[in-house]
Amino acid sequence: MTACKRFFLFSGLLAALPAAAQEPAPEAQTLDRVQVQAARVRALADVELPAAITTVNVDSDHNGRGALLSEVLAGVPGLLARERQNLAQDTQLSIRGFGARSSFGVRGVRLLVDGVPATMPDGQGQLSHFNLLGAERVEVLRGPFSALYGNASGGVLQLWSAEGQPGDPWRLRSSYGAHATSSSGVQLKGQAASMHYNVAANHFSTAGWRRHSAARRESLNTRLDFDLAPGQCLALLFNALEAPHAQDPLGLSAAQVRENPRQATAVARQYNTRKSVAQQQAGLVYTRERGRQTWRLMGYAGQRAVEQFLAIPPGPQNSPLHAGGVIDLDSGYGGLDARWAWQGTLAGQPLDLVVGANADRQRQHRTGYENFVGDTVGIKGRLRRDQHDRVWNIDQFAQAWWQFSPRGSALLGARHSQVRFALRDHYRTAANPDDSGQRDYAATTPVAGLVFRATDALRLYASAGHGFETPTFNELGYRADGGAGLALDLAAARSRSYELGGKWHGHSGARLELALFRADTEDELAVAANVGGRSSYRNIGATRRQGVELDWRQPVGAAQELQLAATWLQATVREGYLTCTGVPAPCTTPRNRVAAGTRLPGVPRQQLSARWQWQPGTWHWAAELVAASDLGVDDRGDARAPGHTLVNLEAARQWSTPHGPLRAFARLDNVLDQRHIGSVIVNDGNQRYYEPGPDRSVTVGVQWQWTRQR
């Protein structure tokens, strides 16, 4: 394995889990690539680390549409990834309850693609540009060591593209399914001289299961790795997304779901609610190894433009402080990351050190317009907001892994983060004063973990750490009292996390992992009011997320495998508070009480995913079950989305051709045709919380992998 690959794969786990030297073992072990060490000496399997880590291999023979990341994440314990049947909004993603409150985008969870952040410095992230066709694997880190990634690290999700190798086949893939849903893509992967390449382009379109939910996405992901010299490599990364005019059907009330779950809210059609996104991003990673030392430098930059038409009626926009019903964002962002790693010994035992720093910056021009002109609605009208937002962070981190005995090892780390928000308001009138302002946040987040090697196959571990989460710019945007200016009184949420776990990895490929966890948070951020199409936030005090995760994988003979992932999660308010949620507008004084012990919204208490697959020769069969219990949809816990159990089936057949395998596949989702709520809009101001999931649907497709003539 080249030095480039070793450090490139390692770098994404932030020195987190700095895969260090592995102690001698009597048996050979298959190491998970996620933990390949930066230095060239040895590597450490994830079973040796005091953290819950799941690696999902994105098989080129995947039987789904191959377009949306949620297709491959069902079997990850502690993670909730739900498609909203609404591509104007991103996948609903949370890890151990962190990020569940987000009604748009992803927050509370750090996202990365090939080591490049997909989460902005304020903690707001996007999944829409994650290209599944070029992916090799997805890694999900949960628990205390997530804090090593900085602000808003309730968990970490990374997508890694494959590094092209000599002889890799190229491939074409196309699928078609219910509701005129189609996905077509091409991947070119291999090696030419010293360049390893992986280029994947995909087109996805759908008429939508719900009315007014048609969408189209074009995505491109490119990874080029160059072996510059012995011990030196350079990786060039580029991705782009074009998603124009994705229709937004909005949420439904409980009565509307019962009447017709496929309908769109009337105002969605009236105002033609929709969203357009265009993004381009580039990055580079330079790595140099020399003896026991490794240097790594990563830089990236990108541009993202968003235009969104909302269903806010003209009445609320009469307020001189209202920002209008059309959001127009033009964002430029980028950052640098530098780190040094050293591998040596302490008291005669293996020691790894990693020290580094990173800085990220986002410059955003935010404008708002009325969504009407005269009596015509759903079009861009007068300017109502014009401001420049700036947010940047400067972080430093260090960590050490030390195997202090043949059976014991320790992983210690700390990160110091400084985040600054600044706004310059250019839209000022006599009734709309200057909203300019700034706010700084800082935190030091230590983490520590111990691993005990009970037997050759079993590891026991314990870990603890601190974390923090600043408000995003969207949450700072409006004051809870209805006044002008940013909500600069919002504090960062602080958390303390603990985890106990065991990992058993058998010789036959069987594995069983169990984790018990708790996270206590102070100054949790929650909706204060949701009025007139805008949400304001406040700090509500203490919350707790605690539970158990189980991950079991069992080969059955040479051709079958069973997988089971289960989560029990109790996420509750520990201190009662007052909220405006549910109170008729206007509301600047909270009057509704949320009692201690109330469940946090958006978090199911139980989740279960089970999968059986059988591959006899050229055939492939699979069946999976995905279940979740009910969940709350507002802070008061007055309304709930019911739980559901879905059964899905897959079948595929492969044929050999002179130039490579040809494969046909089919997938039947929701075999029992169960009505269910696919996702929810937490604390929706109109009580339209529910986004129904689709009924029984089928997808068929074909894939051809061919070897190029030499």
Side-chain angles (χ1 to χ4, degrees):
M1 182 175 290
T2 65
C4 180
K5 179 182 284 186
R6 287 199 297 273
F7 201 84
F8 189 68
L9 295 176
F10 167 79
S11 64
L13 272 182
L14 187 63
L17 320 175
Q22 176 177 317
E23 77 271 20
E27 77 282 289
Q29 295 191 22
T30 300
L31 301 184
D32 293 337
R33 295 183 65 192
V34 58
Q35 301 304 336
V36 175
Q37 168 62 313
R40 68 180 64 183
V41 183
R42 292 174 290 246
L44 192 73
D46 66 354
V47 71
E48 307 289 348
L49 297 170
I53 306 168
T54 299
T55 300
V56 179
N57 294 315
V58 182
D59 194 341
S60 61
D61 291 338
H62 173 62
N63 293 325
R65 294 169 295 183
L68 304 176
L69 188 65
S70 60
E71 297 177 42
V72 300
L73 295 178
V76 180
L79 181 144
L80 181 70
R82 290 180 162 179
E83 284 307 323
R84 315 183 72 160
Q85 305 307 309
N86 176 4
L87 291 181
Q89 304 295 337
D90 221 330
T91 300
Q92 193 169 63
L93 182 75
S94 63
I95 293 179
R96 292 183 176 176
F98 287 97
R101 292 176 180 270
S102 179
S103 56
F104 47 86
V106 178
R107 67 180 310 281
V109 176
R110 299 296 292 188
L111 307 174
L112 299 98
V113 179
D114 289 328
V116 173
T119 298
M120 295 296 101
D122 68 342
Q124 187 78 37
Q126 304 290 334
L127 282 168
S128 52
H129 66 290
F130 280 44
N131 186 300
L132 201 59
L133 186 65
E136 179 182 56
R137 68 191 187 282
V138 180
E139 297 163 6
V140 181
L141 171 65
R142 310 176 297 284
F145 277 93
S146 302
L148 284 179
Y149 286 80
N151 177 28
S153 297
V156 182
L157 185 148
Q158 301 195 70
L159 180 143
W160 291 97
S161 305
E163 179 183 326
Q165 298 296 329
D168 280 342
W170 293 2
R171 64 169 169 153
L172 288 170
R173 179 185 176 93
S174 182
S175 67
Y176 187 84
H179 322 300
T181 299
S182 65
S183 178
S184 300
V186 59
Q187 181 188 31
L188 310 180
K189 186 174 66 168
Q191 182 176 356
S194 64
M195 181 182 72
H196 306 258
Y197 62 90
N198 180 358
V199 181
N202 193 74
H203 162 83
F204 175 81
S205 65
T206 180
W209 179 70
R210 293 181 60 195
R211 306 290 184 255
H212 194 75
S213 62
R216 175 172 63 87
R217 284 183 178 178
E218 318 287 347
S219 66
L220 171 69
N221 190 77
T222 300
R223 172 178 168 174
L224 306 176
D225 296 275
F226 298 89
D227 297 321
L228 302 180
Q232 296 185 58
C233 70
L234 178 68
L236 300 181
L237 311 166
F238 176 77
N239 58 63
L241 170 75
E242 189 77 25
H245 310 302
Q247 295 177 331
D248 187 349
L250 304 179
L252 299 178
S253 67
Q256 289 173 319
V257 172
R258 289 190 296 269
E259 174 190 333
N260 178 11
R262 298 189 63 179
Q263 67 178 301
T265 304
V267 293
R269 299 189 301 273
Q270 179 185 0
Y271 287 86
N272 190 19
T273 49
R274 60 199 185 275
K275 181 179 180 181
S276 297
V277 177
Q279 176 174 306
Q280 304 83 38
Q281 179 173 290
L284 61 83
V285 180
Y286 171 75
T287 306
R288 179 176 180 179
E289 290 186 20
R290 186 173 182 179
R292 296 183 174 185
Q293 302 182 72
T294 304
W295 291 267
R296 172 191 180 265
L297 178 65
M298 184 272 288
Y300 72 99
Q303 192 74 23
R304 183 179 178 90
V306 177
E307 183 182 59
Q308 185 170 12
F309 287 76
L310 306 175
I312 302 174
Q317 298 179 59
N318 289 330
S319 167
L321 301 181
H322 204 282
V326 180
I327 299 172
D328 195 336
L329 303 176
D330 190 3
S331 301
Y333 57 90
L336 293 171
D337 181 293
R339 63 188 61 170
W340 168 80
W342 176 80
Q343 186 180 54
T345 61
L346 175 64
Q349 299 295 329
L351 173 71
D352 272 29
L353 298 176
V354 179
V355 178
N358 71 277
D360 306 274
R361 185 176 186 179
Q362 180 182 10
R363 301 162 60 94
Q364 179 174 267
H365 185 201
R366 179 188 294 262
T367 51
Y369 300 86
E370 293 175 345
N371 58 356
F372 63 94
V373 175
D375 294 330
T376 304
V377 299
I379 61 175
K380 185 181 288 188
R382 292 187 305 160
L383 179 71
R384 296 298 301 273
R385 188 176 201 173
D386 184 2
Q387 66 190 50
H388 282 88
D389 302 333
R390 304 285 188 273
V391 57
W392 61 90
N393 69 275
I394 299 176
D395 291 17
Q396 307 85 39
F397 55 87
Q399 62 183 26
W401 180 90
W402 183 39
Q403 183 185 316
F404 55 81
S405 76
R407 289 188 176 272
S409 62
L411 179 60
L412 308 173
R415 187 181 187 103
H416 178 73
S417 301
Q418 295 175 288
V419 185
R420 168 169 288 185
F421 294 82
L423 178 150
R424 179 72 65 182
D425 187 9
H426 302 290
Y427 182 80
R428 300 187 292 271
T429 67
N432 189 336
D434 189 352
D435 292 340
S436 302
Q438 72 177 44
R439 175 68 192 269
D440 293 347
Y441 298 91
T444 299
T445 52
V447 292
L450 295 172
V451 175
F452 173 67
R453 179 175 179 169
T455 69
D456 289 343
L458 176 63
R459 306 295 187 270
L460 304 175
Y461 70 89
S463 60
H466 288 200
F468 88 113
E469 180 178 2
T470 68
T472 66
F473 245 125
N474 289 319
E475 292 162 341
L476 289 170
Y478 301 105
R479 288 169 42 176
D481 62 5
L486 294 176
L488 299 178
D489 59 331
L490 289 180
R494 309 280 176 147
S495 61
R496 300 179 306 279
S497 298
Y498 313 92
E499 185 172 315
L500 293 172
K503 304 178 183 181
W504 176 82
H505 289 200
H507 296 285
S508 64
R511 56 189 295 177
L512 178 64
E513 299 186 359
L514 181 71
L516 290 78
F517 59 89
R518 171 180 287 184
D520 292 330
T521 302
E522 303 289 338
D523 288 328
E524 178 92 27
L525 290 160
V527 171
N530 207 333
V531 177
R534 67 185 198 180
S535 299
S536 58
Y537 294 80
R538 59 171 295 191
N539 297 105
I540 62 172
T543 61
R544 171 170 290 170
R545 299 166 174 88
Q546 60 184 359
V548 183
E549 294 172 351
L550 173 71
D551 190 0
W552 176 47
R553 303 188 184 191
Q554 179 66 57
V556 181
Q560 298 182 64
E561 185 180 54
L562 295 173
Q563 300 177 16
L564 177 69
T567 306
W568 178 82
L569 173 59
Q570 184 183 56
T572 58
V573 174
R574 296 178 61 200
E575 298 177 1
Y577 65 96
L578 299 178
T579 180
C580 275
T581 304
V583 178
C587 171
T588 58
T589 303
R591 296 190 287 271
N592 282 356
R593 182 155 188 85
V594 178
T598 302
R599 290 168 57 182
L600 295 179
V603 183
R605 183 157 289 180
Q606 293 95 22
Q607 288 178 251
L608 176 68
S609 172
R611 180 178 174 87
W612 165 82
Q613 57 187 24
W614 179 37
Q615 191 166 357
T618 58
W619 283 92
H620 178 273
W621 307 92
E624 64 181 23
L625 180 147
V626 180
S629 62
D630 66 336
L631 52 81
V633 297
D634 66 349
D635 286 330
R636 296 173 299 157
D638 293 343
R640 316 197 71 76
H644 61 262
T645 300
L646 305 179
V647 177
N648 310 313
L649 299 176
E650 299 175 7
R653 173 73 160 84
Q654 184 167 294
W655 296 268
S656 295
T657 74
H659 298 291
L662 177 67
R663 187 170 184 272
F665 58 89
R667 178 178 169 96
L668 183 61
D669 287 292
N670 193 5
V671 174
L672 303 180
D673 202 22
Q674 182 183 102
R675 277 198 173 192
H676 65 287
I677 301 300
S679 60
V680 298
I681 305 172
V682 173
N683 288 319
D684 182 82
N686 297 296
Q687 300 184 355
R688 296 193 294 257
Y689 306 115
Y690 307 101
E691 295 178 306
D695 52 16
R696 184 188 298 119
S697 59
V698 64
T699 299
V700 296
V702 63
Q703 176 176 278
W704 180 38
Q705 294 180 283
W706 77 95
T707 303
R708 303 169 308 287
Q709 298 293 331
R710 298 185 182 279

